Amino acid sequence: MIEQKKLKNGFEYLKINNKNAHAKIALQGAHLFHYQRLGHAPLLWLSGKSFFEAGKAIRGGVPICWPWFGRHKTEKNLPQHGFARNLLWKLLEARENDACSTEITLQLTSSEESLQLWPHRFELLLQVTVSETLCIALTSKNCDKKTCEISSALHSYFAVTNIDNVSVEGLENTLYFDAVTNESKTQKGPLSIAEEVDRIYQKIHNPLILHDQTRTLHIAATGSSSAVVWNPWITKCANMNDMQDIGYQTMLCIETANALEDARQLAPGEEHTLTAVFS
Ligand code: BG6
């Protein structure tokens, strides 16, 4: 079943239920903010203090960072992580493939508003397949007459039992930019988190594997060779107005990305798809 829902303040989302899983996707930002396989705990972390308001990104789920990841390269006043997560997308298709699989396609195209922030005409499609596995595919198309550069991320927040129980496999011996210390480093062994972590890994192994007590999650990417790992830890978390002070203990962001050297140049008419499958 696919239902179109609206909060009292007009914030719209889709509620999806099939024999395998439940999910919720906001039209603002094409933002998936809930996914849960039947009989399992929710996969995605969602802040109890998140805003569900026009123009504010939801804290949790899978925000879409696009067409730039992080701070804009030259214009520091432009919004962090681009604008796609803050704009209203159009629902193109909502389809039940069968009783066990639902496919949602949302679209964002360039507008006067987007052209003021980024001078390129584009079409962006997000296809989400909700089933026993979760598949998210983001297709960027350059509809302009000039080449554009896109850096992006499917900024997945995963719910974990406790951050102390977690390790990430697949980053071993890869180079990363450490945004906390502004240094380039090499990952030694599997990653565990015991402090603020904000890193962009390059040329990662595929899939990445998140181990959490008895649960193992595979994150398989296509169209991507970089990944971002983020946990704000104690001080940063306490300073965020949309996260509870202890929020950092039960989340970890592992973001399927096209960041730094993995940014993509799209010639006129060219398209690129970034995909993540969670299983
Ligand atoms: C991560 C970045 O992807 O997102 C961090 O690497 C950033 O530097 C985090 O703090 C959250 O960003 P925002 O804009 O959603 O608060």
Side-chain angles (χ1 to χ4, degrees):
M1 188 163 50
I2 305 165
E3 296 168 88
Q4 284 197 255
K5 299 272 194 184
K6 211 181 244 190
L7 299 179
K8 280 193 189 126
N9 63 2
F11 194 90
E12 289 180 90
Y13 67 97
L14 302 170
K15 190 172 171 198
I16 296 149
N17 281 313
N18 60 39
K19 282 192 172 167
N20 275 335
H22 305 306
K24 291 179 187 168
I25 306 175
L27 295 192
Q28 176 174 288
H31 195 139
L32 176 75
F33 61 95
H34 175 66
Y35 169 82
Q36 183 168 19
R37 276 171 67 198
L38 298 196
H40 293 255
L43 178 75
L44 302 171
W45 181 87
L46 178 65
S47 169
K49 285 176 77 180
S50 177
F51 299 107
F52 284 86
E53 278 174 28
K56 291 186 180 165
I58 297 168
R59 179 67 64 195
V62 188
I64 292 169
C65 306
W66 192 97
W68 58 87
F69 175 80
R71 287 264 153 242
H72 188 276
K73 267 187 183 170
T74 51
E75 306 292 325
K76 300 300 170 208
N77 293 332
L78 288 175
Q80 159 135 305
H81 292 327
F83 50 78
R85 63 179 179 165
N86 296 323
L87 295 181
L88 203 58
W89 292 47
K90 183 176 160 192
L91 177 62
L92 274 196
E93 199 177 3
R95 193 173 69 207
E96 283 168 336
N97 294 327
D98 53 43
C100 302
S101 164
T102 310
E103 208 170 291
I104 305 292
T105 308
L106 294 136
Q107 180 201 45
L108 183 71
T109 51
S110 37
S111 59
E112 269 178 37
E113 197 180 353
S114 76
L115 287 166
Q116 283 185 4
L117 296 165
W118 194 59
H120 298 279
R121 290 179 198 282
F122 67 86
E123 183 189 24
L124 195 54
L125 291 174
L126 188 83
Q127 198 175 52
V128 180
T129 310
V130 175
S131 189
E132 206 176 350
T133 58
L134 171 66
C135 175
I136 305 180
L138 178 70
T139 300
S140 311
K141 182 168 182 184
N142 182 357
C143 304
D144 219 308
K145 293 192 174 102
K146 52 188 188 293
T147 296
C148 62
E149 182 181 281
I150 289 167
S151 59
S152 59
L154 304 172
H155 191 311
S156 320
Y157 287 74
F158 296 108
V160 299
T161 54
N162 190 290
I163 196 69
D164 298 340
N165 300 332
V166 165
S167 70
V168 184
E169 193 186 322
L171 301 168
E172 302 80 7
N173 305 319
T174 62
L175 277 178
Y176 66 88
F177 173 71
D178 186 334
V180 177
T181 61
N182 277 325
E183 290 169 318
S184 291
K185 298 177 182 165
T186 301
Q187 176 67 35
K188 307 263 183 284
L191 170 68
S192 45
I193 315 281
E195 59 185 342
E196 181 186 352
V197 168
D198 191 355
R199 302 177 179 177
I200 305 178
Y201 287 87
Q202 299 287 324
K203 300 199 176 107
I204 58 162
H205 306 289
N206 202 6
L208 295 179
I209 305 173
L210 172 63
H211 297 280
D212 176 16
Q213 278 190 339
T214 53
R215 192 186 64 163
T216 303
L217 173 73
H218 288 74
I219 305 164
T222 53
S224 157
S225 63
S226 55
V228 181
V229 180
W230 180 61
N231 182 295
W233 210 246
I234 301 165
T235 311
K236 209 168 212 174
C237 188
N239 289 331
M240 289 168 69
N241 62 357
D242 57 358
M243 238 171 127
Q244 279 150 339
D245 289 359
I246 53 166
Y248 75 94
Q249 292 176 356
T250 52
M251 55 74 71
L252 181 65
C253 289
I254 304 177
E255 311 168 30
T256 302
N258 288 137
L260 296 181
E261 293 103 87
D262 191 26
R264 305 293 164 122
Q265 305 284 329
L266 294 188
E270 203 181 346
E271 59 181 54
H272 169 69
T273 302
L274 172 68
T275 307
V277 178
F278 308 107
S279 58

Short mmCIF file of all heavy atoms in Angstrom, two decimals, residues 195-229:
data_model
loop_
_atom_site.label_atom_id
_atom_site.label_comp_id
_atom_site.label_asym_id
_atom_site.label_seq_id
_atom_site.Cartn_x
_atom_site.Cartn_y
_atom_site.Cartn_z
N GLU A 195 35.50 8.87 19.06
CA GLU A 195 35.69 10.33 19.09
C GLU A 195 34.93 10.89 17.89
O GLU A 195 34.36 10.13 17.10
CB GLU A 195 37.17 10.67 18.96
CG GLU A 195 37.76 10.13 17.67
CD GLU A 195 39.27 10.32 17.54
OE1 GLU A 195 39.83 11.16 18.25
OE2 GLU A 195 39.85 9.62 16.70
N GLU A 196 34.94 12.22 17.75
CA GLU A 196 34.30 12.82 16.58
C GLU A 196 34.98 12.30 15.31
O GLU A 196 36.21 12.29 15.21
CB GLU A 196 34.43 14.35 16.63
CG GLU A 196 33.75 15.02 15.45
CD GLU A 196 33.98 16.53 15.40
OE1 GLU A 196 34.55 17.09 16.35
OE2 GLU A 196 33.59 17.12 14.39
N VAL A 197 34.17 11.84 14.37
CA VAL A 197 34.72 11.33 13.11
C VAL A 197 34.01 12.03 11.96
O VAL A 197 32.78 12.08 11.92
CB VAL A 197 34.51 9.79 13.01
CG1 VAL A 197 34.79 9.28 11.62
CG2 VAL A 197 35.40 9.08 14.02
N ASP A 198 34.79 12.61 11.06
CA ASP A 198 34.25 13.28 9.88
C ASP A 198 35.27 13.09 8.77
O ASP A 198 36.25 13.84 8.67
CB ASP A 198 34.02 14.78 10.21
CG ASP A 198 33.21 15.47 9.13
OD1 ASP A 198 32.92 14.84 8.09
OD2 ASP A 198 32.88 16.66 9.31
N ARG A 199 35.08 12.05 7.96
CA ARG A 199 36.12 11.63 7.03
C ARG A 199 35.57 11.34 5.66
O ARG A 199 34.49 10.74 5.54
CB ARG A 199 36.78 10.33 7.54
CG ARG A 199 37.38 10.48 8.92
CD ARG A 199 37.94 9.16 9.39
NE ARG A 199 38.53 9.32 10.71
CZ ARG A 199 39.05 8.33 11.42
NH1 ARG A 199 39.06 7.10 10.92
NH2 ARG A 199 39.57 8.55 12.60
N ILE A 200 36.34 11.71 4.65
CA ILE A 200 35.98 11.35 3.28
C ILE A 200 37.01 10.33 2.80
O ILE A 200 38.19 10.65 2.65
CB ILE A 200 35.97 12.57 2.35
CG1 ILE A 200 35.06 13.65 2.91
CG2 ILE A 200 35.52 12.16 0.94
CD1 ILE A 200 35.01 14.93 2.09
N TYR A 201 36.56 9.11 2.62
CA TYR A 201 37.43 8.02 2.16
C TYR A 201 37.39 7.94 0.64
O TYR A 201 36.32 8.09 0.04
CB TYR A 201 36.95 6.68 2.73
CG TYR A 201 37.24 6.51 4.20
CD1 TYR A 201 36.35 6.98 5.16
CD2 TYR A 201 38.40 5.88 4.63
CE1 TYR A 201 36.61 6.83 6.51
CE2 TYR A 201 38.67 5.71 5.98
CZ TYR A 201 37.78 6.20 6.92
OH TYR A 201 38.05 6.05 8.26
N GLN A 202 38.56 7.68 0.05
CA GLN A 202 38.65 7.58 -1.41
C GLN A 202 39.01 6.14 -1.80
O GLN A 202 39.73 5.47 -1.06
CB GLN A 202 39.74 8.51 -1.95
CG GLN A 202 39.49 9.99 -1.66
CD GLN A 202 38.37 10.59 -2.51
OE1 GLN A 202 38.21 10.23 -3.67
NE2 GLN A 202 37.60 11.50 -1.93
N LYS A 203 38.56 5.73 -2.98
CA LYS A 203 38.88 4.40 -3.54
C LYS A 203 38.60 3.30 -2.52
O LYS A 203 39.47 2.49 -2.18
CB LYS A 203 40.34 4.35 -4.00
CG LYS A 203 40.64 5.39 -5.08
CD LYS A 203 41.88 5.06 -5.85
CE LYS A 203 42.13 6.03 -6.97
NZ LYS A 203 43.19 6.99 -6.82
N ILE A 204 37.39 3.30 -2.03
CA ILE A 204 37.00 2.33 -1.00
C ILE A 204 36.74 0.95 -1.61
O ILE A 204 36.55 0.82 -2.82
CB ILE A 204 35.73 2.81 -0.26
CG1 ILE A 204 34.58 2.99 -1.28
CG2 ILE A 204 36.00 4.07 0.51
CD1 ILE A 204 33.23 3.04 -0.66
N HIS A 205 36.70 -0.05 -0.75
CA HIS A 205 36.34 -1.39 -1.19
C HIS A 205 34.81 -1.46 -1.23
O HIS A 205 34.13 -0.71 -0.54
CB HIS A 205 36.89 -2.45 -0.23
CG HIS A 205 38.36 -2.31 -0.02
ND1 HIS A 205 39.27 -2.62 -0.99
CD2 HIS A 205 39.08 -1.84 1.03
CE1 HIS A 205 40.49 -2.37 -0.54
NE2 HIS A 205 40.40 -1.89 0.69
N ASN A 206 34.30 -2.36 -2.01
CA ASN A 206 32.85 -2.46 -2.16
C ASN A 206 32.44 -3.92 -1.94
O ASN A 206 33.03 -4.78 -2.57
CB ASN A 206 32.50 -2.03 -3.59
CG ASN A 206 31.05 -1.59 -3.72
OD1 ASN A 206 30.31 -1.50 -2.76
ND2 ASN A 206 30.66 -1.36 -4.94
N PRO A 207 31.50 -4.25 -1.10
CA PRO A 207 30.69 -3.37 -0.29
C PRO A 207 31.41 -2.97 1.00
O PRO A 207 32.38 -3.61 1.41
CB PRO A 207 29.48 -4.25 0.06
CG PRO A 207 30.05 -5.63 0.14
CD PRO A 207 31.13 -5.68 -0.89
N LEU A 208 30.88 -1.93 1.65
CA LEU A 208 31.29 -1.63 3.02
C LEU A 208 30.39 -2.47 3.93
O LEU A 208 29.24 -2.73 3.59
CB LEU A 208 31.09 -0.15 3.33
CG LEU A 208 31.96 0.82 2.55
CD1 LEU A 208 31.65 2.25 2.94
CD2 LEU A 208 33.44 0.51 2.74
N ILE A 209 30.92 -2.88 5.05
CA ILE A 209 30.12 -3.71 5.95
C ILE A 209 30.09 -3.07 7.34
O ILE A 209 31.14 -2.79 7.92
CB ILE A 209 30.68 -5.15 6.03
CG1 ILE A 209 30.78 -5.74 4.61
CG2 ILE A 209 29.79 -6.04 6.91
CD1 ILE A 209 31.47 -7.08 4.54
N LEU A 210 28.88 -2.83 7.81
CA LEU A 210 28.70 -2.27 9.15
C LEU A 210 28.36 -3.41 10.10
O LEU A 210 27.34 -4.08 9.92
CB LEU A 210 27.56 -1.24 9.10
CG LEU A 210 27.06 -0.66 10.43
CD1 LEU A 210 28.15 0.12 11.14
CD2 LEU A 210 25.86 0.26 10.20
N HIS A 211 29.23 -3.64 11.07
CA HIS A 211 28.99 -4.68 12.08
C HIS A 211 28.47 -4.01 13.34
O HIS A 211 29.06 -3.03 13.82
CB HIS A 211 30.28 -5.41 12.43
CG HIS A 211 30.89 -6.14 11.27
ND1 HIS A 211 30.44 -7.37 10.86
CD2 HIS A 211 31.90 -5.81 10.43
CE1 HIS A 211 31.15 -7.78 9.81
NE2 HIS A 211 32.04 -6.85 9.52
N ASP A 212 27.37 -4.54 13.86
CA ASP A 212 26.81 -3.98 15.10
C ASP A 212 26.24 -5.15 15.90
O ASP A 212 25.17 -5.67 15.57
CB ASP A 212 25.69 -2.99 14.73
CG ASP A 212 24.98 -2.44 15.96
OD1 ASP A 212 25.51 -2.57 17.07
OD2 ASP A 212 23.88 -1.88 15.79
N GLN A 213 26.97 -5.54 16.93
CA GLN A 213 26.58 -6.72 17.73
C GLN A 213 26.25 -7.88 16.79
O GLN A 213 27.09 -8.32 16.04
CB GLN A 213 25.42 -6.37 18.65
CG GLN A 213 25.90 -5.68 19.90
CD GLN A 213 24.83 -5.53 20.95
OE1 GLN A 213 23.63 -5.59 20.67
NE2 GLN A 213 25.25 -5.31 22.17
N THR A 214 24.97 -8.32 16.79
CA THR A 214 24.65 -9.50 15.97
C THR A 214 24.19 -9.14 14.56
O THR A 214 23.91 -10.00 13.75
CB THR A 214 23.53 -10.31 16.65
OG1 THR A 214 22.45 -9.40 16.92
CG2 THR A 214 24.02 -10.95 17.94
N ARG A 215 24.09 -7.83 14.27
CA ARG A 215 23.59 -7.43 12.95
C ARG A 215 24.75 -7.05 12.02
O ARG A 215 25.72 -6.43 12.44
CB ARG A 215 22.66 -6.22 13.10
CG ARG A 215 21.86 -5.91 11.86
CD ARG A 215 21.08 -4.64 12.02
NE ARG A 215 21.97 -3.49 12.18
CZ ARG A 215 21.61 -2.23 12.03
NH1 ARG A 215 20.36 -1.94 11.74
NH2 ARG A 215 22.47 -1.24 12.18
N THR A 216 24.61 -7.44 10.75
CA THR A 216 25.61 -7.08 9.75
C THR A 216 24.90 -6.43 8.57
O THR A 216 23.97 -7.02 8.01
CB THR A 216 26.35 -8.35 9.25
OG1 THR A 216 26.91 -8.99 10.39
CG2 THR A 216 27.44 -8.02 8.27
N LEU A 217 25.32 -5.24 8.21
CA LEU A 217 24.69 -4.54 7.08
C LEU A 217 25.71 -4.37 5.96
O LEU A 217 26.82 -3.89 6.19
CB LEU A 217 24.21 -3.16 7.55
CG LEU A 217 23.68 -2.25 6.45
CD1 LEU A 217 22.32 -2.72 5.96
CD2 LEU A 217 23.61 -0.80 6.92
N HIS A 218 25.31 -4.75 4.73
CA HIS A 218 26.16 -4.54 3.56
C HIS A 218 25.70 -3.28 2.84
O HIS A 218 24.50 -3.12 2.58
CB HIS A 218 26.05 -5.74 2.60
CG HIS A 218 26.74 -6.96 3.12
ND1 HIS A 218 26.21 -7.72 4.13
CD2 HIS A 218 27.92 -7.53 2.78
CE1 HIS A 218 27.04 -8.72 4.39
NE2 HIS A 218 28.08 -8.63 3.60
N ILE A 219 26.65 -2.44 2.49
CA ILE A 219 26.34 -1.21 1.74
C ILE A 219 27.07 -1.34 0.41
O ILE A 219 28.31 -1.17 0.34
CB ILE A 219 26.83 0.05 2.50
CG1 ILE A 219 26.23 0.07 3.91
CG2 ILE A 219 26.50 1.32 1.72
CD1 ILE A 219 26.92 1.04 4.85
N ALA A 220 26.33 -1.67 -0.64
CA ALA A 220 26.95 -1.90 -1.95
C ALA A 220 26.66 -0.69 -2.83
O ALA A 220 25.51 -0.29 -2.99
CB ALA A 220 26.38 -3.17 -2.57
N ALA A 221 27.72 -0.12 -3.39
CA ALA A 221 27.55 1.10 -4.19
C ALA A 221 27.91 0.85 -5.64
O ALA A 221 28.79 0.04 -5.94
CB ALA A 221 28.45 2.19 -3.62
N THR A 222 27.24 1.56 -6.55
CA THR A 222 27.72 1.67 -7.93
C THR A 222 27.76 3.15 -8.28
O THR A 222 27.03 3.96 -7.70
CB THR A 222 26.83 0.90 -8.94
OG1 THR A 222 25.48 1.33 -8.77
CG2 THR A 222 26.89 -0.59 -8.76
N GLY A 223 28.64 3.50 -9.23
CA GLY A 223 28.78 4.90 -9.62
C GLY A 223 29.44 5.72 -8.54
O GLY A 223 29.30 6.95 -8.50
N SER A 224 30.17 5.06 -7.64
CA SER A 224 30.81 5.77 -6.52
C SER A 224 32.08 5.04 -6.12
O SER A 224 32.11 3.81 -6.11
CB SER A 224 29.83 5.76 -5.33
OG SER A 224 30.52 5.93 -4.11
N SER A 225 33.12 5.81 -5.78
CA SER A 225 34.30 5.17 -5.21
C SER A 225 34.71 5.85 -3.91
O SER A 225 35.77 5.59 -3.37
CB SER A 225 35.46 5.21 -6.22
OG SER A 225 35.82 6.55 -6.49
N SER A 226 33.85 6.76 -3.42
CA SER A 226 34.17 7.45 -2.16
C SER A 226 33.04 7.24 -1.15
O SER A 226 31.90 6.96 -1.54
CB SER A 226 34.38 8.94 -2.42
OG SER A 226 33.26 9.50 -3.06
N ALA A 227 33.38 7.39 0.12
CA ALA A 227 32.36 7.28 1.17
C ALA A 227 32.72 8.22 2.30
O ALA A 227 33.91 8.46 2.56
CB ALA A 227 32.29 5.85 1.70
N VAL A 228 31.68 8.75 2.93
CA VAL A 228 31.90 9.67 4.05
C VAL A 228 31.43 8.97 5.32
O VAL A 228 30.38 8.32 5.31
CB VAL A 228 31.08 10.97 3.85
CG1 VAL A 228 31.31 11.94 5.00
CG2 VAL A 228 31.46 11.62 2.51
N VAL A 229 32.22 9.07 6.36
CA VAL A 229 31.81 8.52 7.65
C VAL A 229 31.76 9.68 8.64
O VAL A 229 32.71 10.45 8.75
CB VAL A 229 32.79 7.43 8.14
CG1 VAL A 229 32.33 6.88 9.49
CG2 VAL A 229 32.89 6.31 7.12
#
